[in-house]
Amino acid sequence: MKNPQCEEAGIDDGTMLRLRDVNKSYHMAQEELHILKNISLEVSKGEFLAILGPSGSGKSTLMNVIGCMDLADSGEYYLDGIAIHRTKEKALTRIRNQEIGFIFQKYHLIPTYTVMQNIVMPLLMRGMSYQEAAESCMDTIRLLGLENRMEHKPSELSGGQQQRVAIARALVGRPAILLADEPTGALDSSTGKEVLALFSQLNRLGNTIVMITHDLGVAKNASRVVRIVDGELQE
Ligand SMILES: Nc1ncnc2c1ncn2[C@@H]1O[C@H](COP(=O)(O)OP(=O)(O)OP(=O)(O)O)[C@@H](O)[C@H]1O
Ligand SMILES: [Mg+2]
């Protein structure tokens, strides 16, 4: 155990994320909506976890907390040894950029940028030059079979290709964890299967993956499945 924060919390080096009694509510005009209820979850480095739950169960809310896009109201959250619950907003921006690769149902590509420009974005945000970023992305681009699409705009690609661009963009910064929210939700079933096979391949290459889905058939591609029902986790 090298990291003093981890040592203090009793977390070993093989743990990628650990949530303890995490709660999150949304405050509406008249009422408080308690969405995440005492969520405790541990994910080891190298795991491929699916979080399965019906619509409205709190999956995206949980993903936003795990992805440091939103903070929990209470509880502890350690990501790769960093105590997120004690981290200030400015440092969270760096953590989002360097520790997490996001993949969304609707790809979230920048429509006016080419495939290459989309993929290098996380590296440019770290201050890398375009040339350097483009060179360091080539392995990932080949891995995802996008080398003949580099100058295309997202609108000139199929859904499956757009999702592969989004996956490449998530990977190039070598994040500690890949977070995917319904990554096959907008794809037909055979293209969805290709994307899931790609996730399994990325996991075999050592990537830690947390995937959120409402579809049991999709969840079964992961090595472990936990369920979220009405904001509560069940193994
Ligand atoms: N910003 C917000 N303000 C208020 N309520 C919210 C907000 N975001 C989500 N909610 C509520 O929190 C609950 C959980 O939403 P969430 O998006 O996490 O569900 P989900 O499991 O991802 O659903 P889906 O499968 O439909 O994407 C819902 O009842 C939703 O209305
Ligand atoms: Mg959702």
Side-chain angles (χ1 to χ4, degrees):
M1 281 193 232
K2 285 167 289 193
N3 188 317
Q5 283 187 340
C6 285
E7 215 160 330
E8 179 194 318
I11 296 173
D12 72 57
D13 271 349
T15 303
M16 184 58 84
L17 59 91
R18 183 166 107 176
L19 292 95
R20 274 284 162 88
D21 293 324
V22 161
N23 284 278
K24 176 83 193 165
S25 297
Y26 289 114
H27 305 273
M28 305 305 283
Q30 299 299 327
E31 52 172 346
E32 186 177 291
L33 298 171
H34 193 182
I35 306 299
L36 299 180
K37 298 166 186 162
N38 294 313
I39 300 267
S40 293
L41 175 68
E42 213 158 301
V43 179
S44 301
K45 289 183 181 168
E47 241 192 308
F48 180 4
L49 176 78
I51 300 174
L52 174 69
S55 182
S57 57
K59 300 185 297 296
S60 295
T61 306
L62 179 58
M63 158 136 170
N64 289 342
V65 170
I66 294 174
C68 305
M69 295 197 284
D70 209 351
L71 286 174
D73 299 332
S74 65
E76 292 182 348
Y77 173 28
Y78 289 87
L79 169 66
D80 201 12
I82 307 163
I84 302 297
H85 54 285
R86 281 191 248 129
T87 303
K88 297 273 181 296
E89 178 54 40
K90 215 172 159 186
L92 285 180
T93 306
R94 184 203 66 79
I95 290 166
R96 277 193 293 268
N97 174 246
Q98 302 201 348
E99 303 284 340
I100 299 155
F102 291 101
I103 297 152
F104 301 96
Q105 176 174 349
K106 300 245 175 80
Y107 329 124
H108 289 211
L109 300 173
I110 300 172
T112 53
Y113 283 14
T114 64
V115 165
M116 183 59 136
Q117 288 167 337
N118 270 283
I119 292 174
V120 297
M121 271 306 286
L123 300 179
L124 301 188
M125 283 164 67
R126 294 182 192 181
M128 222 184 246
S129 74
Y130 187 86
Q131 187 63 29
E132 197 187 347
E135 277 166 22
S136 79
C137 289
M138 282 321 293
D139 284 351
T140 307
I141 287 163
R142 278 189 218 103
L143 178 69
L144 292 172
L146 291 165
E147 57 271 56
N148 299 323
R149 294 287 181 278
M150 299 318 302
E151 298 311 315
H152 288 242
K153 297 277 170 63
S155 63
E156 297 159 358
L157 301 177
S158 70
Q161 288 167 337
Q162 289 185 64
Q163 193 58 304
R164 277 191 276 143
V165 175
I167 294 168
R169 180 183 58 185
L171 279 173
V172 289
R174 307 206 176 286
I177 187 164
L178 285 177
L179 266 185
D181 192 349
E182 300 280 4
T184 60
L187 304 173
D188 63 54
S189 73
S190 78
T191 313
K193 278 183 189 143
E194 282 170 29
V195 166
L196 290 167
L198 188 56
F199 277 22
S200 296
Q201 186 189 357
L202 294 173
N203 179 239
R204 284 194 297 275
L205 291 171
N207 291 282
T208 307
I209 303 173
V210 174
M211 176 176 71
I212 283 165
T213 180
H214 67 274
D215 184 333
L216 178 61
V218 170
K220 279 180 171 163
N221 289 274
S223 46
R224 178 161 69 108
V225 181
V226 295
R227 285 173 193 268
I228 182 166
V229 179
D230 195 20
E232 292 183 82
L233 267 199
Q234 309 165 348
E235 281 280 336

